[in-house]
Amino acid sequence: MDGAGKTTAARGAVEAARLAGSKALLLRNHAGRRNLTQWSARSGIPLSPRLADALETVIRTFNVVVSHTRARRFAGLVVMDRHVYCQLGLRSVRGIPRGRFLPWLLRRLPKPDLVIHFDLAPEQALERILLRGTDTETLEELTALSEGYRALPEFPGFLRIDAGGAQNDVLEALTDAINGAAAGAGPISERQSTSLQ
């Protein structure tokens, strides 16, 4: 969920891999939710959950497909900040069915070596969001999103990292997870992908 520290940790993991002499690439797969929410508030035009989901799905799908195209051409560690799972989690919160397209897309895309879920109490996520002052979330929304991720049928296959600790501890856990996957699949210089949720 927002406030879990995914982007900060993703940047740190990519930087650590590069400092260790490996090739590494960070790709972001946002859906424009923050921009759409801000536009809706400024314009006074409310977005229904279905319309918001439709717009976000188009943006996220485009970003994910572009990211996978870039990853396919890159020999090294690829870290994706968010993925299709995020949109499925949001659909769960909004009471919108999974549909057929996003699950189909997940089956068609290359399977990542790791899908990592940053586990964080919604209360702590809200504190972080309020401190950075760029988002507007409520405790109810964050709690629902946390539950939405856990309701995904794919969730048991996610590697969960405690995101409630110090930033260095979270980065160390993420780097250890990536290195552990690389050790099982060959050198990190070979293409490896990790998706952060």
Side-chain angles (χ1 to χ4, degrees), residues 5 11 27 35-36 39 44 70 94 99 138 148 152 157 173 180 183 186 197:
R11 283 193 199 113
L27 301 171
N35 292 338
L36 289 171
W39 173 85
R70 290 183 64 193
R94 293 167 171 162
T138 66
L152 294 176
Q197 305 306 313

Side-chain angles (χ1 to χ4, degrees), residues 11-31:
R11 283 193 199 113
V14 166
E15 185 179 324
R18 289 173 177 165
L19 287 172
S22 298
K23 291 183 179 179
L25 178 65
L26 174 60
L27 301 171
R28 300 181 72 185
N29 297 318
H30 291 284

Side-chain angles (χ1 to χ4, degrees), residues 115-119 150 154-163 173:
V115 178
I116 298 175
H117 176 79
F118 274 31
D119 215 359
R150 284 170 171 72
E154 298 88 357
F155 187 77
F158 295 175
L159 174 65
R160 292 184 287 285
I161 289 180
D162 179 6

Side-chain angles (χ1 to χ4, degrees), residues 57-181:
T57 297
V58 169
I59 295 167
R60 178 133 26 224
T61 298
F62 175 81
N63 286 332
V64 166
V65 170
V66 168
S67 289
H68 275 277
T69 301
R70 290 183 64 193
R72 202 170 276 131
R73 299 179 187 145
F74 186 78
L77 171 68
V78 177
V79 177
M80 293 194 188
D81 181 358
R82 297 189 178 270
H83 206 276
V84 173
Y85 305 106
C86 297
Q87 205 60 39
L88 291 170
L90 283 168
R91 284 186 176 180
S92 177
V93 170
R94 293 167 171 162
I96 298 173
R98 286 169 61 88
R100 294 180 181 168
F101 175 69
L102 291 181
W104 173 85
L105 183 61
L106 276 175
R107 290 192 302 271
R108 299 290 299 169
L109 291 171
K111 187 173 172 22
D113 295 302
L114 289 172
V115 178
I116 298 175
H117 176 79
F118 274 31
D119 215 359
L120 184 69
E123 294 81 5
Q124 191 173 357
L126 182 61
E127 285 177 21
R128 292 178 179 180
I129 290 167
L130 293 175
L131 279 174
R132 72 185 182 206
T134 58
D135 301 62
T136 54
E137 298 282 353
T138 66
L139 182 58
E140 293 77 18
E141 290 168 335
L142 293 169
T143 301
L145 189 54
S146 178
E147 293 168 357
Y149 275 116
R150 284 170 171 72
L152 294 176
E154 298 88 357
F155 187 77
F158 295 175
L159 174 65
R160 292 184 287 285
I161 289 180
D162 179 6
Q167 192 174 354
N168 287 343
D169 294 337
V170 175
L171 177 57
E172 183 179 351
L174 176 58
T175 304
D176 287 349
I178 291 170
N179 290 337

